[in-house]
Amino acid sequence: MRLSRYFLPVLKETPAEAQIVSHRLMLRAGMIKQASAGIYSWLPLGFKVLRKIEDIVHEEQARAGHLAMLMPTIQSADLWRESGRYDAYGDEMLRITDRGGRDMLFTPTAEELITDIFRAHVGSYKDLPLTLYQIQWKFRDEIRPRFGVMRGREFLMKDGYNFDLTKEDALHAYNRHLVSYLRTYERMGLQAIPMRADSGPIGGDNTHEFLVLAETGESEVFYDSEITDLTFGDREIDYSDKAQCQAVLEEFTSRYARTDETHDEAEFAKVPEARRRTARGIEVGQIFYFGTKYSDALGATVTDREGNRLPVHMGSHGIGVSRLLGAIIEASHDDKGIIWPEGVTPFHAGIVNLKQGDSEADAACEVLYDSLKALGLDPLYDDRNERAGGKFATMDLIGLPWRITVGPRGLKNGVVELTSRRTGESEEMAPEQAIQRIAKIYGTSQA
Ligand code: ATP
Ligand code: MG
């Protein structure tokens, strides 16, 4: 993409309404624009990152054997009356009446609808295990929408639902989700710690929330500092192997890590004092096993081998896809702007032309731009007639992890400059070498 052709409405001033850094930076970098309280338009740069996050979620769900689908945002109230949640959900549910006077709602979550699909089409143990998920907009009429996309009213969520014949199988689905979530967040450059949580209106006993540690987090968390040393990394895992998934769950949940809702001082006191931490965290996901709560309410049963009809065991699993943009920025920024982890960056590298209009500089930039694209990479070329300082400030603000700076002086010596956004370190090298370095970082090899 050429910046002269892009739509990047960066703001010079710090928006007064934004209280936390991720919200400020998303507005300043022209990623989002508020439409009304807690409701945002996603401008091209923000939308691009949102899509990258969605892609990672889809890839990791596929790896775990889960099937993508899509359910409507507007649902009839009938199913919610059947489950008893139409009234129980309270004021957070946006209720709508259609022209025929029917009660509708904008979905805050989809346990009812998915259970209805299941009961209509699945009747036998032979069709299990089954896990279906979607990435779809949700609406919750939050009393205090704030912090930009972190606590919106309309927000994008991955919500998944597992259906299993037995409790044991459903707990395997729970463990499988925990493992796949660990991978998912790490690919986004985040450490998200599973913490024992409270099940809230969804109900059930087994639940963990995934929290990213950040001063601006809304949850108070208590944990054993050893947990921050754990990483999932690129280990191979067979998701159908119950013992393997269980072992990972135990590894990541055996140390004390809880939100304030489940915090227990006496238990916490058993952690050696030097390792006890109290901090704040951003909830970026949650997994639940809730057994037969919805299948009992809605009559979703399956026959087992002996022909007995049994209620299906279920769980639900959510990732805050749009909230993740805020969480990633909270975890990765400096006073100049965002620092995108390579896994989610909107463009792989920026090209800054220090002297637009200089025939050699222009030509060198075109070669870099075309070469990166030929490798399947997505560069952003700042080809505007602007001063170098302004170009650097924009690149730093929007946070591309790598920048190639091209100017007539360097070109005389056959070099350009490759700069890491994270460390600020620059290195001079031949243009071809810069291309190779970037290709290597993103794992694409030069054809
Ligand atoms: P919270 O406690 O933050 O209100 P929740 O526990 O009610 O969230 P879940 O039902 O677990 O939310 O939804 C799954 C994920 O969706 C959450 O982990 C969170 O990342 C995200 N999410 C929930 N509410 C919002 C919101 N208002 N804005 C943005 N993301 C949200
Ligand atoms: Mg939650």
Side-chain angles (χ1 to χ4, degrees), residues 42-226:
W42 293 79
L43 307 183
L45 191 73
F47 186 54
K48 224 158 181 268
V49 181
L50 192 68
R51 292 296 276 277
K52 290 256 169 130
I53 292 174
E54 281 187 69
D55 288 348
I56 292 175
V57 172
H58 278 305
E59 283 168 26
E60 292 305 325
Q61 287 300 301
R63 202 191 295 274
H66 306 160
L67 306 176
M69 61 177 294
L70 193 61
M71 291 178 273
T73 54
I74 308 288
Q75 297 179 8
S76 155
D78 296 347
L79 283 173
W80 291 74
R81 291 206 169 96
E82 240 183 283
S83 74
R85 278 211 294 183
Y86 188 62
D87 294 322
Y89 218 95
D91 289 340
E92 270 194 18
M93 181 184 277
L94 181 66
R95 293 152 209 266
I96 306 161
T97 311
D98 74 7
R99 67 204 294 172
R102 282 173 290 262
D103 291 329
M104 312 290 285
L105 55 95
F106 196 118
T107 175
T109 173
E111 280 81 7
E112 282 78 0
L113 198 61
I114 197 84
T115 309
D116 183 53
I117 292 169
F118 183 89
R119 72 180 171 185
H121 296 293
V122 184
S124 160
Y125 74 93
K126 289 182 195 140
D127 299 320
L128 305 183
L130 178 66
T131 297
L132 300 167
Y133 79 94
Q134 64 172 350
I135 297 179
Q136 177 62 295
W137 294 94
K138 303 291 183 300
F139 195 96
R140 294 183 186 171
D141 204 352
E142 301 275 356
I143 194 160
R144 219 148 68 91
R146 57 181 184 157
F147 300 161
V149 300
M150 294 267 243
R151 184 162 298 283
R153 291 198 297 164
E154 188 187 52
F155 59 97
L156 192 59
M157 194 207 286
K158 172 262 168 181
D159 47 323
Y161 308 87
N162 67 284
F163 300 91
D164 289 277
L165 183 62
T166 62
K167 178 171 181 181
E168 189 205 327
D169 288 351
L171 288 176
H172 171 54
Y174 184 88
N175 300 350
R176 199 174 63 229
H177 277 86
L178 185 129
V179 178
S180 72
Y181 279 23
L182 290 172
R183 275 191 73 106
T184 302
Y185 297 120
E186 279 192 21
R187 281 188 59 189
M188 298 172 189
L190 284 177
Q191 180 170 46
I193 303 171
M195 300 201 179
R196 198 192 293 180
D198 188 46
S199 61
I202 292 193
D205 305 326
N206 286 59
T207 177
H208 282 90
E209 283 178 353
F210 289 77
L211 285 111
V212 172
L213 299 176
E215 278 163 32
T216 49
E218 289 186 286
S219 315
E220 187 170 27
V221 298
F222 304 84
Y223 63 95
D224 177 339
S225 65
E226 272 190 358

Side-chain angles (χ1 to χ4, degrees), residues 8-11 24-31 45 338 397-398:
L8 186 73
V10 299
L11 305 180
R24 280 198 290 277
L25 289 173
M26 286 183 80
L27 292 170
R28 283 191 51 214
M31 297 177 69
L45 191 73
I338 301 165
L397 174 63
I398 68 171

Side-chain angles (χ1 to χ4, degrees), residues 243-255:
Q244 257 191 52
C245 292
Q246 175 73 30
V248 174
L249 174 120
E250 278 165 18
E251 179 186 347
F252 281 83
T253 62
S254 58
R255 291 171 187 77

